[in-house]
Amino acid sequence: MSQARPSRGRRPGAPDTRAEVLAAARDSFAAKGFAGTTIRAVAAAAGVDPALVHHYFGSKDDLFLAALALPVDPREVLAPVVAQGPDGAGERLLRAFLSVWEDPEMQAPLLAVARSAIGPDGGRLVSQGFIPVVVGPVLGSLVRDRADVRVPLVASQVLGLILTRYVLRVPAMVAIPADDLVAQMGPVLQHYLTGDLD
Amino acid sequence: MSQARPSRGRRPGAPDTRAEVLAAARDSFAAKGFAGTTIRAVAAAAGVDPALVHHYFGSKDDLFLAALALPVDPREVLAPVVAQGPDGAGERLLRAFLSVWEDPEMQAPLLAVARSAIGPDGGRLVSQGFIPVVVGPVLGSLVRDRADVRVPLVASQVLGLILTRYVLRVPAMVAIPADDLVAQMGPVLQHYLTGDLD
């Protein structure tokens, strides 16, 4: 996401206009973060009308997720977790997470995003992109109080799981069957979501 | 730790012999991991007698920690945590951890090690170095059963904390006062150390 790209001229109707917009979006998110990126600026960089960006990608949230090239829309994966409310959400959250990450076809593209997230520009990608677009809205509707503390606590455990199980592949962590992990770590996420934090 | 270094000739008694041994040790741990490194091979690479390596650095564990250039010996920091036994160890572990990481002078060198640990060679550094030398022995004496599962679970939460609070500096995580963090995350570490995991 941080590579320099050649400037792009206006090529209305060219078959790769969508790809051009996406490349401009990646440049902008990488250089300016989520908050610093606007649909208007991405459109200008790609030499197209902002309406076309909306047409192709929808909202800025949608554009961000398209730029990340995730193999699934995390909002769709997490919607059923949220729909059933806070009770048992820790376990459901972990099951939804594992259903995606333990899928061999999804793991490679997810790993690419995870490596960006823990890399040099990762702080902004996580803090200004992934948390406000994905994690915040999902958890925000599950937690009844203290979202300012509960959201980063959940993020710390989930990122630690990604790091040890998929990125570093610590053998002892890789060896834990997914169902066992749900039993062991689900209560922790539940504690962070709804438990007594004092 | 992964930079190529010029070969070293035998320079007995040179004032930088200690530094030469340390450089050879860094090369070996980076290239071959902890298990693949021997005092004998490090001595040979530095052109000195193995006894001299032992004299300067002690055991292979000691040599590994010296090669990491940690600002403190984690075994000394964690000794009082272990000495008081499993009850309340989650909270004490977190306090000991924060006493080091929240110290501005220690944070910079710790961050350098953390960035290596989450980098391309990090899997081996963590799995074959830090966990067997530091985490395993400490937690191994705190947990009464299922160390194979409890150790990686604790590691996942502690690494997630390092990642979000110090490496990525997620603002919401940075904003949590250390004492609050002990109250919120201490029970999680205790759960992983001694709780019912089924």
Side-chain angles (χ1 to χ4, degrees), chain B residues 148-164:
Chain B
D148 58 320
V149 173
R150 298 185 188 278
V151 170
L153 288 171
V154 170
S156 77
Q157 177 61 92
V158 172
L159 280 172
L161 174 59
I162 291 174
L163 187 62
T164 51

Side-chain angles (χ1 to χ4, degrees), chain A residues 117-118 122-123 126-127 131 146 148-149 152-153 156-157 159-160 163-164 168 170-173 183-185 188 191-192 197, chain B residues 117-118 122-123 126-127 131 146 148-149 152-153 156-157 159-160 163-164 168 170-173 183-185 188 191-192 197:
Chain A
I118 64 174
V126 171
S127 300
I131 287 183
R146 307 193 64 184
D148 59 320
V149 174
L153 288 171
S156 78
Q157 177 59 92
L159 280 172
L163 188 61
T164 51
L168 302 181
V170 174
M173 176 55 91
Q184 292 150 4
M185 199 174 274
V188 167
H191 166 70
Y192 288 151
L197 296 181
Chain B
I118 64 174
V126 171
S127 301
I131 287 183
R146 306 191 66 181
D148 58 320
V149 173
L153 288 171
S156 77
Q157 177 61 92
L159 280 172
L163 187 62
T164 51
L168 302 180
V170 173
M173 176 55 89
Q184 293 150 3
M185 199 173 274
V188 166
H191 167 70
Y192 288 152
L197 295 181

Side-chain angles (χ1 to χ4, degrees), chain B residues 94-195:
Chain B
L94 201 51
R95 279 198 195 283
F97 171 89
L98 290 168
S99 73
V100 176
W101 271 93
E102 300 282 313
D103 182 325
E105 288 191 20
M106 298 211 205
Q107 204 177 104
L110 289 172
L111 263 177
V113 177
R115 287 187 202 282
S116 296
I118 64 174
D121 285 333
R124 196 161 49 186
L125 178 64
V126 171
S127 301
Q128 297 180 23
F130 215 72
I131 287 183
V133 174
V134 178
V135 183
V138 169
L139 299 193
S141 61
L142 280 176
V143 305
R144 293 184 175 129
D145 63 352
R146 306 191 66 181
D148 58 320
V149 173
R150 298 185 188 278
V151 170
L153 288 171
V154 170
S156 77
Q157 177 61 92
V158 172
L159 280 172
L161 174 59
I162 291 174
L163 187 62
T164 51
R165 190 169 174 97
Y166 306 109
V167 177
L168 302 180
R169 298 191 63 75
V170 173
M173 176 55 89
V174 174
I176 302 177
D179 284 345
D180 291 5
L181 204 52
V182 170
Q184 293 150 3
M185 199 173 274
V188 166
L189 297 186
Q190 191 68 46
H191 167 70
Y192 288 152
L193 287 171
T194 61

